[in-house]
Amino acid sequence: MKRFLILVFIITLLAALAGCGKSGGDEPVQTQEELPTFKLVNLTDVEIHEIYISVSNMQNWGDNLLSKNEVFRRGSEIKLEYPISSKDRYDIRCVDSDGKVILYSEINLYLVEKLTIAVDENGQSVVATEEKENAQAEEITEETTQYESEGVSA
């Protein structure tokens, strides 16, 4: 009986050790220090006071990625950290000083090194990306630009 219990213990221990280090998915688990970063360039005609990122088609925007009194000025560039998955597309919600919202939708941020946001003469959002590992720049015009009043919750 004692040998049987020892054998069961060893098998259980080996099974537990075999599963260590696996996150259950294809991607490594990200810690706070390992959050992916990308540069965001503001070529809109407005100063941006709030930036939110969410998985596309989700209503939860989370926290503003700018600090309380930070302003993202036209022509400037900032570095953002956000937990990005290769399986998802993301929306970026920018709010100007008047509370107007510019929404950039369905962006694959996983390989993005630099993301330039703008609004064209027709009021449509425009996104240009530079991908990591020297991939070619890709320009995408989104048809889903939305302007909203300040009453929309973040």
Side-chain angles (χ1 to χ4, degrees), residues 28-152:
V29 175
Q30 297 171 345
T31 65
Q32 189 67 19
E33 297 83 34
E34 299 173 348
L35 284 177
T37 62
F38 64 94
K39 294 174 187 170
L40 186 65
V41 179
N42 179 7
L43 291 186
T44 67
D45 289 333
V46 297
E47 292 181 340
I48 296 171
H49 291 255
E50 300 172 32
I51 299 174
Y52 303 91
I53 298 177
S54 175
V55 173
S56 293
N57 301 317
M58 298 289 288
Q59 296 301 316
N60 181 9
W61 287 101
D63 295 330
N64 179 7
L65 298 177
L66 296 178
S67 60
K68 186 175 182 178
N69 294 319
E70 186 176 9
V71 176
F72 185 31
R73 300 189 191 291
R74 185 190 194 311
S76 63
E77 179 178 294
I78 59 173
K79 188 176 181 180
L80 295 176
E81 292 182 338
Y82 194 79
I84 297 167
S85 165
S86 64
K87 299 173 185 146
D88 293 316
R89 292 197 172 262
Y90 295 86
D91 297 341
I92 299 176
R93 181 177 188 257
C94 300
V95 182
D96 71 10
S97 61
D98 295 328
K100 290 184 182 172
V101 172
I102 306 169
L103 184 64
Y104 299 91
S105 299
E106 297 288 329
I107 302 167
N108 183 351
L109 291 176
Y110 187 70
L111 294 176
V112 169
E113 173 118 11
K114 187 179 205 178
L115 181 74
T116 302
I117 58 173
V119 176
D120 69 15
E121 62 276 355
N122 298 320
Q124 295 295 307
S125 59
V126 178
V127 175
T129 62
E130 291 179 28
E131 295 182 351
K132 295 177 183 170
E133 300 179 19
N134 301 322
Q136 291 182 346
E138 173 186 357
E139 188 168 313
I140 303 168
T141 301
E142 297 293 339
E143 300 297 329
T144 57
T145 302
Q146 296 179 8
Y147 293 93
E148 302 170 0
S149 65
E150 184 158 15
V152 175

